[in-house]
Amino acid sequence: MSESNPTRSISAEDEVVDLCRDLIRIDTSNYGDHSGPGERGAAEYVAEKLAEVGLEPQIFESHRGRASTVARIAGEDPSRPALLIHGHTDVVPANADDWTHHPFAGEIADGCVWGRGAVDMKDMDAMTLAVVRDRLRSGRKPPRDIVLAFLADEEAGGVYGARHLVDKHPDLFEGVTEAIGEVGGFSFTVNENLRLYLIETAQKGMHWMRLTVDGTAGHGSMTNNDNAITELCEAVGRLGRHKFPVRVTKSVRGFLDELSDALGIELDPEDMDETLARLGGIAKIIGATLRNTAAPTMLGAGYKVNVIPGQATAHVDGRFLPGHEEEFLADLDRILGPRVKREDVHGDKALETDFDGELVEAMQRALKAEDPIARAVPYMLSGGTDAKSFDDLGIRCFGFAPLKLPPELDFAGMFHGVDERVPVDGLKFGVRVLDRFLSGC
């Protein structure tokens, strides 16, 4: 329902939960092949919510149904560089039979909003909408121009979302020098006197690969020393069990130094098992930032039980640390061996920036104002985001989608997991922090 006369009576905290639930109810499952419903419904919803408070959003459709929404808010000082706030509206698929609550119902239970996208990342989309709507209703301009981008296709590499806009409509981001997006600003409670908030300053690069082995086809009853399946499975087994060497980047070093100080112990990056066990739900994220990784994810071969196929294929999700791409690829070829043909399905660069500057200080102030025991620390994301595309425009990108989380919540397990959910109190905390951040950015 449109607001014909927007007023100050509805606050960001009042709205954010309903906005998050509405977005979750719009199925934007991304199967990576245009077979899903697409993001058009979410793009139109976002555009309507922005138009209600006086903005002029634009919808860009790169492929049928694959739509993104962009709008610009004029700041008090147009001479200052602009800030980009970006979020994606697509989600990975979900099987309703596996969930406690239907993944596209947006139900509230046990103090949380449940559903696919609750943390990845319709929560941040909702927080951004709620804060922007509240500020515009009350006539509170940000200090500088803000560009809002609600994007398609992040879950499949951003080709039909961020990459499309950067390549085809770079003028949308004119004057933007810094950005905030997903997977940062969430809390890790150390003790009753200290809560760390992880700000993403780096992310691993990616090589999604197809591995192929050609062999000799034949009858399954006969001896065959050139079986493509055997050769491929042995290579995939070697790769899947391989432990790449530890490589400590500046973002990881910064996080480890802060964690060492918080825990009161000296940390050895080569022996992190005991420390990771103390990190609870963020251990999976942090553990993967210490080294390159290559996870076999798909296998394919054959069409009949008594026929040895002439070819076998596998897919691998490879992630490399900033500055270590060449080492990673050389290690891959050595492990796989000469019989395995390796080709990229999708690749993208690693990113890393320093944990300093006025924008970082604004994040720290906003967090501290809402949580007196907060300490902002840098960290590296083991995956990737749309920041990779915006980096091509010279935009310095951070992950900052603030959430204060209960210590018992397996936050990393929420991403692409069953029973994804976000605490209601976390959403309300997030809008308060984001509002303070926008006032001081």
Side-chain angles (χ1 to χ4, degrees), residues 390-426:
F390 295 120
D391 179 76
D392 287 353
L393 296 177
I395 298 172
R396 187 183 183 206
C397 297
F398 296 89
F400 186 64
L403 287 174
K404 184 167 73 173
L405 302 168
E408 66 275 9
L409 182 69
D410 179 10
F411 185 61
M414 296 295 100
F415 288 82
H416 299 189
V418 172
D419 285 346
E420 183 181 350
R421 58 197 182 275
V422 63
V424 168
D425 288 345

Side-chain angles (χ1 to χ4, degrees), residues 50 77 89 116 120 154 201-202 236-237 288 292 299 307 326 340 346 390 418 422:
L50 295 176
D77 185 355
T89 59
R116 178 58 84 217
D120 188 14
E154 191 274 345
T201 54
V236 169
N292 297 328
L299 288 170
V307 178
E326 290 185 10
V340 180
H346 181 78
F390 295 120
V418 172
V422 63

Side-chain angles (χ1 to χ4, degrees), residues 200-339:
E200 182 212 305
T201 54
Q203 51 186 249
K204 295 172 84 172
M206 67 172 70
H207 281 285
W208 290 346
M209 298 165 281
R210 181 187 295 108
L211 309 181
T212 305
V213 172
D214 293 316
T216 302
H219 200 288
S221 67
M222 298 182 184
T223 301
N224 187 326
N225 295 322
D226 189 32
N227 190 313
I229 293 178
T230 302
E231 184 72 31
L232 180 70
C233 286
E234 288 176 349
V236 169
R238 289 193 300 272
L239 183 61
R241 289 188 292 271
H242 182 74
K243 203 167 187 180
F244 292 84
V246 169
R247 299 285 185 260
V248 180
T249 68
K250 62 184 177 183
S251 292
V252 172
R253 170 52 63 195
F255 173 77
L256 293 179
D257 287 347
E258 293 281 2
L259 185 64
S260 176
D261 179 66
L263 297 178
I265 58 176
E266 186 139 356
L267 299 180
D268 178 5
E270 296 282 354
D271 185 19
M272 287 287 291
D273 289 347
E274 184 176 341
T275 300
L276 290 173
R278 300 174 65 174
L279 298 184
I282 66 170
K284 297 174 187 175
I285 296 176
I286 301 304
T289 64
L290 297 172
R291 59 184 86 236
N292 297 328
T293 58
T297 54
M298 297 168 63
L299 288 170
Y303 58 89
K304 197 170 186 293
V305 69
N306 63 342
V307 178
I308 296 172
Q311 187 178 85
T313 62
H315 284 76
V316 173
D317 184 345
R319 309 280 176 153
F320 59 90
L321 298 168
H324 295 277
E325 182 176 12
E326 290 185 10
E327 177 189 44
F328 176 59
L329 295 177
D331 284 347
L332 281 177
D333 290 337
R334 176 179 53 80
I335 295 162
L336 293 171
R339 287 288 306 277

Side-chain angles (χ1 to χ4, degrees), residues 2-188:
S2 298
E3 297 173 359
S4 56
N5 182 26
T7 68
R8 184 72 177 90
S9 60
I10 304 173
S11 72
E13 285 188 70
D14 292 332
E15 273 202 309
V16 66
V17 172
D18 286 340
L19 290 169
C20 187
R21 297 179 74 193
D22 285 350
L23 286 166
I24 287 171
R25 289 168 181 151
I26 303 170
D27 184 355
T28 51
S29 298
N30 186 350
Y31 296 89
D33 58 2
H34 302 309
S35 62
E39 299 88 349
R40 181 81 198 193
E44 291 176 349
Y45 175 87
V46 168
E48 179 185 0
K49 293 298 178 183
L50 295 176
E52 284 175 358
V53 290
L55 294 180
E56 298 180 356
Q58 295 175 272
I59 294 177
F60 298 87
E61 192 169 71
S62 57
H63 187 280
R64 184 177 175 83
R66 313 305 305 276
S68 301
T69 302
V70 181
R72 194 175 190 113
I73 304 171
E76 292 177 345
D77 185 355
S79 69
R80 289 187 59 195
L83 173 72
L84 169 65
I85 303 178
H86 63 94
H88 63 87
T89 59
D90 65 319
V91 297
V92 296
N95 181 359
D97 292 340
D98 298 332
W99 287 58
T100 303
H101 302 281
H102 195 285
F104 299 108
E107 292 188 31
I108 297 177
D110 302 322
C112 293
V113 179
W114 294 60
R116 178 58 84 217
V119 299
D120 188 14
M121 64 171 294
K122 291 179 176 179
D123 58 337
M124 179 58 173
D125 294 336
M127 288 191 288
T128 302
L129 281 174
V131 169
V132 165
R133 282 166 59 83
D134 182 61
R135 295 181 72 93
L136 291 175
R137 279 192 296 258
S138 58
R140 293 182 297 137
K141 278 190 172 184
R144 53 171 163 163
D145 284 10
I146 304 291
V147 175
L148 305 173
F150 298 83
L151 303 158
D153 198 40
E154 191 274 345
E155 296 293 0
V159 174
Y160 296 94
R163 174 52 52 194
H164 172 77
L165 294 181
V166 166
D167 289 346
K168 304 296 184 182
H169 304 281
D171 54 297
L172 293 169
F173 310 102
E174 183 178 354
V176 174
T177 58
E178 297 172 309
I180 61 169
E182 64 177 323
V183 206
F186 57 90
S187 69
F188 167 66

Side-chain angles (χ1 to χ4, degrees), residues 363-386:
M363 296 177 198
Q364 293 170 324
R365 289 194 301 269
L367 287 166
K368 193 81 171 176
E370 291 298 332
D371 184 0
I373 64 170
R375 183 196 297 181
V377 301
Y379 94 105
M380 180 189 296
L381 177 65
S382 59
T385 73
D386 285 326

